[in-house]
Amino acid sequence: MNKLSLGTVQFGLNYGISNKTGQVSRQEAEKILCLALEHGIDSLDTASAYGESETVLGQVLPVVYNRQAGQFRIISKYLPGSTTVTESLDNSCQKLGVQFLYGYLLHQFDRSVFENTQWDAFRKEKEKGRIGKIGFSLYYPHELDYLLDKDVAFDILQLPFNPLDQRFSPYFTELKSRGVEIHIRSAFLQGLLFLSPEQLPASLAELGPRVDKIRQLAEAHDLTLPHLLLGFVHLHDIDKIVIGVESYSNLLENIGYTGRLDTVQRAINDISAMASNDETLILPSKWNVK
């Protein structure tokens, strides 16, 4: 099974600290999606909060399916506070042009969803057959601790994980024992790991030595940065790696990472040593970047 899942936030927004090209055009989105199917990438990640992403997918997927064999399993997300779960799901499905979602996640963790009818609505929509799997997109280990302590039943977790941010790795074994699908995002840390230390914003300069060391490890092992970063995540017990791309060529480069896994394995201890627990540095939502 291909572990890559195509993140589509760039289809709807100008996204990423290293993004130089802006929002992906519809024509480029079609090319990216066709290439993904051609190489066995069968999963798409989107959300109602990703600008035009769902709308763009709804417009281009029929064209893609007409050109390329196969179809995608689509995961979208509910943002609490905007509307009801059912209304949000209806809206997402309408935009996407589908009647069923492989997965539907709570976009921002909020304990209040268990105190009102929101999580019940997730379970009911799954029982109706409109959603295959339900779960959460998390940012902090204490959120997962709450779910485990309360023995909340869920099917998918989307978590940040990369050489700098390894906070969730101690949970992987238990999650797999519970049959949970682990979907990793932020493998490239919104593109920050592609920047040189000199390109880092002043507020993130403290990450310079780690970023430089990762670049040195890639060069020493004759690896591209994407191959090192994706290989590092792949070699952990996870199910999907959600990556966003800005172009056809960008995805084409990333697809080849599996051919270098043996090399990444030899460097994995050195890569793992780059971890930081400073959330002001490893969580984009806490970055003070203008």
Side-chain angles (χ1 to χ4, degrees):
M1 178 186 295
N2 196 316
K3 284 192 176 184
L4 287 183
S5 174
L6 189 59
T8 62
V9 63
Q10 285 94 341
F11 291 4
L13 295 169
N14 183 355
Y15 179 84
I17 193 171
S18 65
N19 186 346
K20 305 299 185 192
T21 59
Q23 183 178 335
V24 174
S25 70
R26 279 164 172 72
Q27 293 78 11
E28 193 71 11
E30 289 176 14
K31 292 171 59 180
I32 290 169
L33 290 164
C34 284
L35 180 65
L37 280 179
E38 181 183 345
H39 286 270
I41 298 174
D42 63 357
S43 179
L44 295 180
D45 178 84
T46 187
S48 59
Y50 291 171
E52 300 178 323
S53 175
E54 290 179 330
T55 300
V56 170
L57 287 173
Q59 293 171 348
V60 303
L61 282 176
V63 178
V64 171
Y65 293 155
N66 191 47
R67 294 178 180 174
Q68 187 69 44
Q71 291 199 358
F72 291 106
R73 301 186 300 183
I74 302 177
I75 296 173
S76 193
K77 308 180 192 73
Y78 168 70
L79 189 63
S82 53
T83 184
T84 69
V85 172
T86 298
E87 289 170 341
S88 179
L89 177 61
D90 287 343
N91 192 40
S92 289
C93 287
Q94 182 179 11
K95 289 180 178 179
L96 290 162
V98 300
Q99 295 182 328
F100 170 83
L101 291 178
Y102 176 79
Y104 201 51
L105 311 181
L106 185 71
H107 203 155
Q108 292 181 354
F109 184 78
D110 186 341
R111 295 185 185 187
S112 68
V113 301
F114 305 107
E115 299 163 3
N116 53 38
T117 61
Q118 289 177 317
W119 187 243
D120 287 338
F122 270 80
R123 292 190 290 107
K124 288 177 181 177
E125 295 296 343
K126 179 182 175 182
E127 290 169 2
K128 291 178 186 176
R130 300 186 66 202
I131 306 167
K133 301 191 176 188
I134 57 176
F136 302 88
S137 176
L138 302 182
Y139 292 83
Y140 301 97
H142 70 79
E143 298 169 338
L144 180 50
D145 288 334
Y146 179 87
L147 294 174
L148 297 176
D149 290 343
K150 297 295 183 182
D151 202 26
V152 176
F154 52 87
D155 308 303
I156 299 176
L157 282 186
Q158 190 182 106
L159 308 169
F161 183 63
N162 56 65
L164 297 186
D165 184 358
Q166 300 176 45
R167 295 168 299 147
F168 284 99
S169 58
Y171 296 87
F172 289 171
T173 299
E174 180 176 358
L175 291 172
K176 297 309 298 180
S177 72
R178 291 173 176 244
V180 174
E181 284 189 26
I182 302 174
H183 293 208
I184 296 302
R185 68 172 182 274
S186 208
F188 302 148
L189 196 52
Q190 276 197 18
L192 179 139
L193 293 173
F194 296 146
L195 301 178
S196 67
E198 295 76 22
Q199 293 174 310
L200 293 174
S203 59
L204 300 176
E206 189 177 333
L207 290 175
R210 285 182 169 87
V211 169
D212 193 40
K213 179 62 175 178
I214 291 170
R215 295 171 75 88
Q216 290 175 17
L217 285 169
E219 292 174 4
H221 291 274
D222 193 27
L223 292 163
T224 67
L225 277 171
H227 288 185
L228 180 145
L229 298 169
L230 292 172
F232 172 75
V233 177
H234 181 110
L235 290 170
H236 289 78
D237 194 7
I238 58 91
D239 296 280
K240 290 292 182 182
I241 310 170
V242 181
I243 61 165
V245 297
E246 300 170 15
S247 66
Y248 175 97
S249 60
N250 193 192
L251 178 58
L252 189 61
E253 177 187 14
N254 292 337
I255 286 170
Y257 84 92
T258 53
R260 306 303 311 277
L261 290 176
D262 288 345
T263 304
V264 177
Q265 181 68 67
R266 292 194 290 272
I268 199 163
N269 289 336
D270 290 331
I271 303 170
S272 297
M274 296 300 101
S276 170
N277 288 318
D278 188 340
E279 292 179 343
T280 65
L281 298 176
I282 61 177
L283 282 178
S285 63
K286 292 184 176 292
W287 289 347
N288 181 22
V289 177
K290 296 181 180 180

